[in-house]
Amino acid sequence: MTDNAQQQPPADTPELPTQYAPAEVEGELYERWVARGYFAADAKSDKPPYTIVIPPPNVTGSLHLGHAFEHTLIDALTRRKRMQGYETLWQPGMDHAGIATQNVVERELAKEGKSRHDLGRAAFVDRVWQWKAESGGQIAGQMRRLGDGVAWNRDRFTMDEGLSRAVQTVFKKMFDDGLIYRAERIINWCPRCLTAISDIEVDYQDDDGELVSIKYGEGDRTLVVATTRAETMLGDTAVAVHPDDERYASFIGKQIKLPLTDRTIPVVADTHVDPEFGTGAVKVTPAHDPNDFAIGQRHGLEALTVMDERGVITVHGPFEGLDRFEARSAIVAALRADGRIVAEKRPYVHSVGHCSRCKTTLEPRLSMQWWVKVETLAKAAGDAVRDGDVNIHPADLSQRYFDWVDNLNDWCISRQLWWGHRIPVWHGPNGETVCVGPDEQPPAGEGWTQDTDVLDTWFSSGLWPFSTLGWPERTPDLEKFYPNSVLVTGYDLMFFWVARMMMFGLYVMDGQAPFRTIAFHGMVRDEFGKKMSKSYGNTVNPLDWMDKYGSDAVRFTLARGANPGTDVPIGEDWVQASRNFANKLWNATRFALMNGATVEGPLPDPSEMSATDRWILSRLNETVAEADAFYDDYQFAKLSDALYHFAWDEVFDWYVELSKTTFMAGGAAADVSKRVLGEVLDVTLRLLHPVVPFVTETLWTTLTGGESVVIADWPKDSGYRDTRAEREIESLQQVITEVRRFRADQGLQPGQRVPARLTLDGTAFAAHEAAIRQLLRLQPEGEAFEATATLPVAGAQVALDLSGTIDVAAERKRLAKDLAAAEKEKVQANAKLGNEAFLAKAPDQVVDKIRARLAKADEDITRIQVQLEGLPVA
């Protein structure tokens, strides 16, 4: 801000410190909001409901930039709806994170020289609960730092008593409906976590491996197969070829010797085999490959398991007891010694699945598991979007959603862990299976045992939109707040979480989808667009930035990058710029208070206002309308930019500066502008509050004396527009901008005063002379005034006396050189654009750049010519 128009504020002016210190106010403000119950939600309220659930963070987790980003968007939506008069529920909670949490506690035990098996299942589970009580959930405190307006009194955990009841109820219902079954199939197995892994929890990456070609058979009956996993050949039960491949027609149905073993295996014909790939013959290992398992099912092949749960070979003497990778090398060496290796390729880069939790290379493994039959559930989830019951935003992500749910395989829901919801099934001594509901007693008697597996974490989190509201009971909360208004989540959770919530919600809640809108956002990346990763060394702890710049600065930076469905780059410089914006808000409000800005009483009639007052009110209402449109379309980046530029460019840089002369003059006009400035700041702070809650709370309560902006009314567009005033101020801005540019081009210092004659008669801004002179540092012309430069702008004339302020000859020489360069640039650009051969070959973006260069050259030529004409004659 420049110098204040009024140095001494009125005696009763509310005071603000000279500088904004976020650390001194944020924590206290947040606890005040919670204590006053602003974030609570009442099912008995007659207000319309607005519900959002938090994507439950892992109990093992801490706040990272992805959380901060997502929580900022959700908090902005809920704060606005609260101000609009909705009964707003932002449902908090955490996920028990089965594998991740068990791994954490097992690592703690390892420090004591123990394993979970040393404790036993019950004691280990008790130890996990103890860990949760002492160390889990640190993210809750960090959410408070960020300003999350969640209903803390409703905090839930996916393994608390109510949610566990919901899990058991759903499992029982699906089991009874034939949607849950047990079967032996190939699954992704983690030899480190010792559990099955869902298909969508597999991270694929290109690894350096080896491709070896092995000769099967003996004598003149041999064929060659290629594999990257030689160790699995011990479990081969066939070789497959395409039925139309004439090379192997005589082999089909015959037996062939399996190297390194005493077994022979059949050659089978299967259309799955691609005769063009490799040799056209493939080894079939049904117990260790999903495609081979399918071939084995079609041909009735035996499935031989040759590795245990830790990836250790369990068969064939010389290799028994070797780790799978040790066995791979040993088997290849043995095959080479036996003359069986036809070709070897190293390195052979190929895609390999890794555990998303521990990064261990996964092993396809035949295993008895529990499954959800998804065909009808997935169809319902797809139809809900196709029929318009649920809207996906942005719409172009709908196809990705359909591609998934329309081709969904049955879901493996069992995990070989101890921490989680234990499967509510009891097995009897004679093979009986009994599923037990939450109000039923398990079967008693000798030989009855509960299934040892637990459910996939995503099973319980898939119930989150209704289990957190008290289901399976028909609670008032469920009646009021289901379905959710919107789900805000990353597109990376479309398959893990979103599709499963859709399937469960439609199944359990009588066909009513769990939310009306799914708003997907992207991932946070570094300032260069690179994925944040510890291995890249570019991860950021958002708490560090909050400590340094304040939570509002972090929130505003994240919101400004939030274009729907696209990734968000962020760098520290941007956070610093957002901190500067908060400081600008602070200083502008402080200036307004010192100059008597007020919110008391109605706005004056437009007939009593200056054009400047009418202009800013017109722009204010337009900004309210824009903000509403952007919020309703989840366009957080456009929203934040619109509010930023309105506040900084129009309110602070123009309205406040133009009003200073009015404040200095005093009188009725000053009183009107004080009321208008109060109104503009009141509304602007309310518009900004959902995104930057802390600084706006401090400023709004000081400005208005209100209890809290959290519960203030959301601004409404009054419909007031004054296009005439907008045109007038736009012309005024043009005059000031052009003269400022001319001054800068002439090398004048910003504070240097220059004599000037203003010819404003007949223009729309004749009443603004005092403001023009103040903003441009223009002195009255005086008796010795000599117009050495004249600028015609927007119908006005500004004559300047630059005698004695610049070296005219040197300035003319400099401008002539710049003019020659601009004219040369224009000639070159025109030459390229006039070359048909060039235009035919050049990419569109290259041609566009040349056109932009031409336009810039034309603009520079015009500007320099005006400057030259404005210089005094030498």
Side-chain angles (χ1 to χ4, degrees):
M1 300 298 296
T2 57
D3 55 311
N4 289 334
Q6 182 172 314
Q7 297 301 322
Q8 296 297 324
D12 59 350
T13 298
E15 292 187 5
L16 284 172
T18 55
Q19 291 184 323
Y20 176 49
E24 295 178 9
V25 300
E26 290 180 349
E28 180 182 344
L29 284 181
Y30 187 84
E31 294 309 319
R32 185 188 308 161
W33 293 335
V34 173
R36 292 178 177 177
Y38 292 156
F39 305 141
D42 183 3
K44 298 178 181 178
S45 167
D46 57 3
K47 297 178 183 178
Y50 187 80
T51 316
I52 295 180
V53 293
I54 195 171
N58 288 354
V59 68
T60 59
S62 60
L63 190 74
H64 56 65
L65 272 176
H67 289 128
F69 172 53
E70 184 170 77
H71 291 197
T72 294
L73 306 187
I74 299 175
D75 197 41
L77 290 173
T78 53
R79 284 178 182 270
R80 173 180 177 247
K81 285 297 182 181
R82 191 176 292 112
M83 296 171 74
Q84 286 182 315
Y86 286 78
E87 192 62 30
T88 303
L89 169 60
W90 182 8
Q91 174 65 54
M94 286 186 294
D95 192 282
H96 66 277
I99 296 176
T101 305
Q102 180 157 318
N103 283 344
V104 167
V105 178
E106 286 196 83
R107 284 195 295 268
E108 292 295 315
L109 284 173
K111 295 176 184 177
E112 303 170 13
K114 298 178 181 178
S115 74
R116 60 183 165 119
H117 300 285
D118 293 324
L119 272 66
R121 183 165 192 150
F124 176 78
V125 171
D126 287 344
R127 180 69 176 259
V128 180
W129 279 109
Q130 178 185 340
W131 174 88
K132 177 188 178 294
E134 295 173 356
S135 307
Q138 62 175 309
I139 197 171
Q142 296 164 345
M143 287 166 58
R144 299 172 106 91
R145 284 285 312 277
L146 188 64
D148 287 3
V150 299
W152 288 114
N153 61 319
R154 295 171 173 267
D155 197 16
R156 303 303 299 270
F157 180 55
T158 50
M159 281 188 63
D160 67 27
E161 183 178 353
L163 270 64
S164 295
R165 179 179 177 84
V167 167
Q168 195 172 352
T169 301
V170 170
F171 189 100
K172 170 70 172 174
K173 175 176 170 57
M174 297 181 79
F175 183 91
D176 291 346
D177 288 347
L179 295 175
I180 286 180
Y181 64 96
R182 195 169 185 239
E184 190 176 42
R185 293 185 180 175
I186 291 284
I187 47 88
N188 304 296
W189 181 266
C190 178
R192 160 61 185 80
C193 298
L194 299 180
T195 183
I197 299 291
S198 168
D199 288 345
I200 55 177
E201 293 173 301
V202 179
D203 288 341
Y204 286 96
Q205 65 184 51
D206 288 339
D207 287 357
D208 287 345
E210 60 181 353
L211 181 68
V212 293
S213 297
I214 308 169
K215 182 170 62 176
Y216 281 33
E218 293 179 319
D220 59 357
R221 186 171 294 283
T222 63
L223 44 74
V224 176
V225 301
T227 181
T228 59
R229 301 169 66 224
E231 68 278 8
T232 63
M233 67 163 293
L234 301 176
D236 287 359
T237 53
V239 171
V241 298
H242 194 278
D244 299 331
D245 193 335
E246 295 181 358
R247 294 173 294 176
Y248 303 115
S250 64
F251 284 80
I252 297 172
K254 305 292 177 46
Q255 295 286 316
I256 194 168
K257 178 72 165 55
L258 178 65
L260 304 184
T261 72
D262 295 327
R263 293 191 291 118
T264 60
I265 56 177
V267 178
V268 299
D270 198 281
T271 55
H272 170 76
V273 179
D274 180 1
E276 302 298 323
F277 183 76
T279 64
V282 297
K283 60 191 288 297
V284 181
T285 320
H288 294 278
D289 182 276
N291 293 322
D292 293 2
F293 179 76
I295 292 174
Q297 292 286 96
R298 288 193 289 272
H299 296 277
L301 300 176
E302 184 181 4
L304 297 179
T305 299
V306 297
M307 286 182 224
D308 68 11
E309 61 184 6
R310 297 182 185 274
V312 174
I313 302 298
T314 59
V315 298
H316 202 67
F319 311 112
E320 187 173 358
L322 294 180
D323 171 81
R324 52 187 169 152
F325 299 119
E326 295 173 334
R328 180 178 300 173
S329 299
I331 288 171
V332 170
L335 290 167
R336 190 183 300 114
D338 199 29
R340 293 283 182 172
I341 299 296
V342 176
E344 298 180 67
K345 184 177 181 180
R346 296 187 185 87
Y348 179 73
V349 179
H350 60 135
S351 181
V352 177
H354 295 257
C355 175
S356 62
R357 298 293 180 187
C358 69
K359 310 308 176 187
T360 300
T361 299
L362 295 174
E363 193 64 42
R365 175 180 170 85
L366 184 62
S367 179
M368 183 67 74
Q369 301 286 343
W370 289 95
W371 304 81
V372 169
K373 190 181 298 183
V374 301
E375 183 179 2
T376 58
L377 302 174
K379 182 180 184 305
D383 290 346
V385 176
R386 287 190 175 92
D387 296 344
D389 295 334
V390 177
N391 297 309
I392 287 180
H393 192 278
D396 58 8
L397 287 180
S398 297
Q399 190 55 51
R400 189 186 301 186
Y401 174 81
F402 294 137
D403 289 344
W404 176 254
V405 296
D406 292 347
N407 299 284
L408 201 57
N409 295 319
D410 283 2
W411 171 20
C412 177
I413 57 171
S414 47
R415 298 291 181 267
Q416 288 65 55
L417 304 171
W418 287 357
W419 172 247
H421 294 100
R422 195 163 174 181
I423 288 178
V425 170
W426 270 254
H427 302 288
N430 299 312
E432 305 96 330
T433 299
V434 175
C435 182
V436 178
D439 297 318
E440 301 172 351
Q441 292 297 317
E446 186 177 350
W448 283 94
T449 59
Q450 186 175 0
D451 197 284
T452 57
D453 289 348
V454 300
L455 286 167
D456 179 9
T457 297
W458 297 103
F459 192 99
S460 53
S461 59
L463 314 182
W464 193 247
F466 51 88
S467 63
T468 52
L469 297 174
W471 189 91
E473 306 303 324
R474 273 287 170 184
T475 64
D477 284 341
L478 194 66
E479 296 291 340
K480 178 76 173 181
F481 296 113
Y482 188 92
N484 288 194
S485 307
V486 62
L487 172 71
V488 178
T489 190
Y491 60 69
D492 60 321
L493 290 183
M494 182 184 293
F495 316 131
F496 285 98
W497 191 42
V498 176
R500 285 161 181 177
M501 284 191 291
M502 287 286 286
M503 290 191 295
F504 279 134
L506 290 161
Y507 171 69
V508 167
M509 299 301 293
D510 301 322
Q512 192 172 35
F515 13 73
R516 297 185 176 90
T517 297
I518 306 168
F520 286 114
H521 59 71
M523 304 295 103
V524 178
R525 296 181 176 270
D526 71 11
E527 59 191 305
F528 306 107
K530 193 173 184 179
K531 179 181 178 181
M532 287 192 173
S533 166
K534 291 181 180 178
S535 61
Y536 296 152
N538 62 350
T539 57
V540 174
N541 183 347
L543 296 175
D544 293 340
W545 281 354
M546 290 183 208
D547 290 340
K548 193 171 182 180
Y549 303 110
S551 298
D552 285 331
V554 175
R555 290 172 61 116
F556 195 66
T557 304
L558 291 165
R560 287 194 78 179
N563 290 298
T566 60
D567 290 345
V568 183
I570 184 172
E572 186 168 1
D573 288 349
W574 306 342
V575 183
Q576 185 173 355
S578 295
R579 187 271 313 274
N580 295 344
F581 177 58
N583 288 342
K584 189 79 169 180
L585 280 173
W586 186 271
N587 292 335
T589 307
R590 190 166 179 271
F591 164 85
L593 291 169
M594 292 180 67
N595 284 276
T598 179
V599 297
E600 295 179 2
L603 279 172
D605 189 83
S607 63
E608 302 174 36
M609 298 179 188
S610 67
T612 308
D613 294 331
R614 298 195 304 276
W615 161 73
I616 197 62
L617 288 177
S618 181
R619 289 294 305 124
L620 177 67
N621 278 284
E622 180 64 33
T623 301
V624 171
E626 287 181 352
D628 281 332
F630 289 143
Y631 261 119
D632 291 341
D633 199 33
Y634 306 100
Q635 297 281 358
F636 296 98
K638 292 180 179 179
L639 163 77
S640 301
D641 264 354
L643 295 179
Y644 174 91
H645 288 296
F646 173 72
W648 193 305
D649 299 348
E650 298 187 88
V651 179
F652 308 151
D653 281 357
W654 285 108
Y655 182 70
V656 167
E657 296 299 325
L658 289 170
S659 298
K660 284 181 178 178
T661 54
T662 305
F663 292 153
M664 285 190 291
D671 290 339
V672 170
S673 291
K674 290 174 184 178
R675 178 64 188 89
V676 171
L677 179 55
E679 180 76 9
V680 170
L681 285 175
D682 170 18
V683 173
T684 301
L685 292 170
R686 282 186 280 151
L687 290 174
L688 282 165
H689 171 72
V691 181
V692 285
F694 294 108
V695 67
T696 52
E697 171 79 342
T698 303
L699 295 177
W700 187 86
T701 53
T702 304
L703 174 71
T704 67
E707 178 184 338
S708 173
V709 69
V710 176
I711 54 173
D713 290 337
W714 180 252
K716 293 181 180 178
D717 175 13
S718 69
Y720 176 77
R721 302 289 190 278
D722 192 325
T723 55
R724 182 176 177 180
E726 290 193 34
R727 287 194 300 268
E728 180 175 333
I729 300 305
E730 286 170 7
S731 297
L732 177 61
Q733 291 171 334
Q734 186 179 355
V735 170
I736 293 171
T737 300
E738 288 300 318
V739 176
R740 278 176 173 166
R741 182 182 292 125
F742 181 79
R743 285 177 56 110
D745 289 341
Q746 304 308 315
L748 298 177
Q749 295 301 312
Q752 186 175 351
R753 293 192 174 274
V754 178
R757 176 187 299 144
L758 304 184
T759 305
L760 306 175
D761 295 342
T763 64
F765 39 85
H768 301 290
E769 180 169 353
I772 292 173
R773 287 189 177 276
Q774 171 68 20
L775 292 176
L776 293 174
R777 301 296 189 268
L778 302 180
Q779 298 176 175
E781 52 197 274
E783 294 182 3
F785 179 80
E786 179 184 357
T788 59
T790 303
L791 301 178
V793 185
Q797 274 196 348
V798 180
L800 304 173
D801 183 354
L802 301 178
S803 57
T805 61
I806 60 171
D807 183 338
V808 175
E811 186 62 20
R812 189 175 292 280
K813 184 178 180 180
R814 183 185 71 81
L815 290 173
K817 182 179 179 180
D818 291 347
L819 180 61
E823 289 174 337
K824 181 180 179 181
E825 175 75 1
K826 179 177 181 179
V827 169
Q828 291 176 341
N830 272 325
K832 287 189 175 182
L833 293 174
N835 185 334
E836 294 296 334
F838 170 78
L839 293 176
K841 295 180 180 179
D844 290 344
Q845 60 266 32
V846 172
V847 176
D848 289 342
K849 285 183 179 179
I850 295 172
R851 288 190 177 121
R853 282 170 48 195
L854 176 61
K856 177 68 166 53
D858 281 332
E859 180 183 326
D860 288 344
I861 290 168
T862 301
R863 175 178 56 79
I864 296 168
Q865 287 173 339
V866 170
Q867 290 176 240
L868 284 167
E869 292 169 3
L871 286 174
V873 178

